Amino acid sequence: MSAASALAAAQKPSMQHASPADPDFSKPLAWLRSPAAVMAAGAILGLIFYVVIYGVARLDPANIGWLMQGDAATHYLGWAFFRHEPWSFPLGALHRYGLEIAASIVYSDSIPILALLFKPFSSWLPEPFQYTGLWILLCCLLQGALAALLLRRFSDNLPFVLLGTGFFLLSPIMVIRSGGQFAGHFSLLGQWLILAALLLYFSDRLRAAGWFWGLLIALAALTHAYLAVMVAAIGVASLSRGLLQDTAFGIVALLRALIPMLLLPLVAMWLAGYFVIGGYSGGGAGFYSMNLLAPFLPTVTLQSAFLPSHPVATAGQYEGFNYLGLGVLLLLALALATTLRQWREVARSYRFWLPLVGVCVLLTLYALSPRITLGTQTLLELPYPASVVEVFRATGRMFWPVHYALILFALIGAQRIANQRLLIAIVAAALLLQWQDLRLIVYHRSTMKDAAAVYQSPFQGAFWSRAAAPYDRVLLVPPTFSVHDFVPFADYAARHQLGINIAYYGRPPSAAAQAQRDQAVRDFLAGIVDPDALYIITQPALLPTIQARLAPGDRLEHHDGYWVLLPGAAALELAPESPRLPRAQP
């Protein structure tokens, strides 16, 4: 049963219509309902959304000022180091960003697919260069285009499709990722991958095509690990639908689909550096969870214009923000009413919907985490295997496929209204209500950050350029793990193609990694100095100990508020006052 026929089975006879996949091009303007035209219209809506929220200044690849704070800075700096790394296997490995800890662009959240794409052209790219602005634009365009194409699977009513696309663009989980507490998580704007997975699920020809699913999951893995899990979950639902609905789709066909579905993502993950062994700790399961009130009310920090914010059980439940918006909630109420009224017709197509519903239930349970909360109250706390749950500790995000499935269900349910003019009026009113409900968040996101801000490094003097020339790496004593403190040091090292002993990844360093760095500090204070390293002392209290152990030829100097140890300072005196030349590739 196709998506269109399943929908028709759940509708009144007067509501049945020709499949939207086959528009009658003999009619005037019928081309407007073609897939290409619908996607183009959705992409235009996405462009409007981008301009309203972000403006155009972020598209300037040399503009990094808006990125150099919070998590956004860590993700940009991961790319800034990676672009100058010599090629190695895995391709996404980072050797000079953190030095002692093995890592990759996966763990710096540097959008691996774009980092790998731009790295071969690094020598032709300007310095600095950022692709985040381009990525955000692509996400908005694809969100609109794929939402429109998804809705076209269920309706040939173009106004309905375009209005419905507005709900996917105005999804609160999409809007909040544009800044604020979520600034820097721009890779997670790739929620169009979830829409692509839903589109494959509802495609009769491709729903069980293992190669398509493998490519989509691999693309999601090269964007963000959380998105890969979400897409894979929908892929499992799609294969299950094949088993339920298609008698010709047996175990052999299932295995034939599963092989590329597993193999392609694993190869992509290996190349990107997922399996690089690093010293990072887990923890956080139940802290970054979803509250039971999250779909119906916003959190304290993200306000609705009409509804109160719900109290949270943990400070980390901002990651469980999954508010649907008042417009969607009202359409959901309408959809439930029409579905219950026609429940016999809807029940006949259970094989079509059951796998997706089952996966949505499982994802919801994972999002709630083993610690299930309602407001500030903990209702239930279950034991859990840490090795499984804490891999994706921000469990609240796992509700996103359910979020989009609920938007789709709300629109499909509204479409059961026989009067098309009334349908358009209701959906348009709900979209306007959604916009008004989210206007505070949209306004805050669109005005909170100056896109034309200029980042000013504290290491501007001629000394710092000369100091970089004779050394291979920068070592902070002691290293800092604060996202706010490490940015200027890492930026200085990246600009001069130096390694650095600090990095800020998606997880804090493990106890073993911290112990390794502590030992390096003790060695330094004992007088064991790396002659190829420029030392920056971040704690002045250590200066007496350092001065007492200075070796001949070493200098301890003060520049622009920082104490610097220059091993073999004669090399510095011979260094030219010019930017550092690129290092020879091994």
Side-chain angles (χ1 to χ4, degrees), residues 115-140:
L116 291 167
L117 179 65
F118 282 110
K119 180 178 170 64
F121 310 100
S122 179
S123 60
W124 289 283
L125 297 175
E127 186 76 62
F129 174 84
Q130 60 86 15
Y131 47 68
T132 307
L134 174 63
W135 166 253
I136 297 170
L137 173 61
L138 288 174
C139 287
C140 294

Side-chain angles (χ1 to χ4, degrees), residues 310-385:
H310 75 79
V312 294
T314 73
Q317 285 192 333
Y318 65 84
E319 282 289 5
F321 177 90
N322 283 291
Y323 178 52
L324 288 163
L326 192 53
V328 171
L329 288 173
L330 291 180
L331 283 183
L332 270 176
L334 176 63
L336 286 172
T338 59
T339 301
L340 290 174
R341 190 174 60 194
Q342 302 177 32
W343 69 270
R344 288 186 176 85
E345 291 82 357
V346 174
R348 294 192 188 103
S349 61
Y350 77 93
R351 288 187 178 88
F352 182 83
W353 298 102
L354 184 60
L356 183 60
V357 172
V359 163
C360 285
V361 170
L362 293 176
L363 287 172
T364 300
L365 293 175
Y366 195 97
L368 292 171
S369 85
R371 182 185 179 188
I372 300 176
T373 59
L374 178 69
T376 59
Q377 302 299 313
T378 298
L379 302 182
L380 187 64
E381 191 156 5
L382 301 172
Y384 63 91

Side-chain angles (χ1 to χ4, degrees), residues 151-428:
L151 288 171
R152 186 187 172 277
R153 296 290 303 168
F154 297 94
S155 176
D156 58 359
N157 186 329
L158 187 60
F160 170 80
V161 168
L162 296 182
L163 287 170
T165 299
F167 286 99
F168 288 92
L169 287 168
L170 274 178
S171 165
I173 61 174
M174 180 82 174
V175 173
I176 62 170
R177 292 286 157 183
S178 58
Q181 199 165 6
F182 301 89
H185 296 169
F186 293 119
S187 57
L188 291 173
L189 280 171
Q191 295 167 27
W192 54 271
L193 289 159
I194 301 172
L195 303 187
L198 290 173
L199 192 60
L200 272 183
Y201 178 89
F202 292 119
S203 171
D204 291 320
R205 288 180 297 175
L206 301 177
R207 71 173 188 274
W211 287 103
F212 280 89
W213 278 111
L215 288 171
L216 185 60
I217 298 169
L219 181 58
L222 292 175
T223 302
H224 200 284
Y226 281 81
L227 293 170
V229 173
M230 298 173 199
V231 171
I234 300 173
V236 171
S238 184
L239 296 186
S240 301
R241 181 193 155 201
L243 288 174
L244 282 175
Q245 283 194 285
D246 190 350
T247 55
F249 188 76
I251 299 300
V252 174
L254 176 64
L255 293 176
R256 190 180 298 122
L258 279 174
I259 291 174
M261 192 173 170
L262 294 172
L263 183 62
L264 291 177
L266 286 174
V267 170
M269 292 170 70
W270 175 73
L271 289 174
Y274 270 84
F275 307 119
V276 172
I277 300 174
Y280 303 102
S281 60
F287 183 74
Y288 299 105
S289 62
M290 183 181 79
N291 200 288
L292 283 170
L293 296 176
F296 312 105
L297 295 171
T299 62
V300 175
T301 55
L302 298 157
Q303 298 179 352
S304 159
F306 301 111
L307 298 179
S309 301
H310 75 79
V312 294
T314 73
Q317 285 192 333
Y318 65 84
E319 282 289 5
F321 177 90
N322 283 291
Y323 178 52
L324 288 163
L326 192 53
V328 171
L329 288 173
L330 291 180
L331 283 183
L332 270 176
L334 176 63
L336 286 172
T338 59
T339 301
L340 290 174
R341 190 174 60 194
Q342 302 177 32
W343 69 270
R344 288 186 176 85
E345 291 82 357
V346 174
R348 294 192 188 103
S349 61
Y350 77 93
R351 288 187 178 88
F352 182 83
W353 298 102
L354 184 60
L356 183 60
V357 172
V359 163
C360 285
V361 170
L362 293 176
L363 287 172
T364 300
L365 293 175
Y366 195 97
L368 292 171
S369 85
R371 182 185 179 188
I372 300 176
T373 59
L374 178 69
T376 59
Q377 302 299 313
T378 298
L379 302 182
L380 187 64
E381 191 156 5
L382 301 172
Y384 63 91
S387 59
V388 176
V389 178
E390 291 183 352
V391 171
F392 299 97
R393 58 179 185 165
T395 60
R397 299 173 183 171
M398 293 300 179
F399 189 77
W400 292 357
V402 189
H403 183 109
Y404 285 115
L406 288 173
I407 294 176
L408 182 62
F409 172 74
L411 290 166
I412 292 174
Q415 198 187 207
R416 296 192 182 102
I417 298 173
N419 188 318
Q420 294 294 285
R421 290 185 178 179
L422 178 60
L423 168 66
I424 296 302
I426 290 175
V427 175

Side-chain angles (χ1 to χ4, degrees), residues 513-569:
Q514 183 64 68
Q516 184 179 4
R517 289 180 170 176
D518 290 343
Q519 182 60 49
V521 172
R522 287 193 293 270
D523 290 344
F524 170 74
L525 294 177
I528 303 174
V529 175
D530 184 347
D532 294 322
L534 170 68
Y535 288 86
I536 300 178
I537 315 304
T538 60
Q539 287 187 7
L542 300 177
L543 291 173
T545 303
I546 296 170
Q547 288 175 320
R549 288 170 172 78
L550 280 180
D554 295 347
R555 283 215 308 260
L556 186 64
E557 299 183 1
H558 190 263
H559 294 274
D560 299 324
Y562 296 96
W563 284 97
V564 183
L565 176 65
L566 307 168

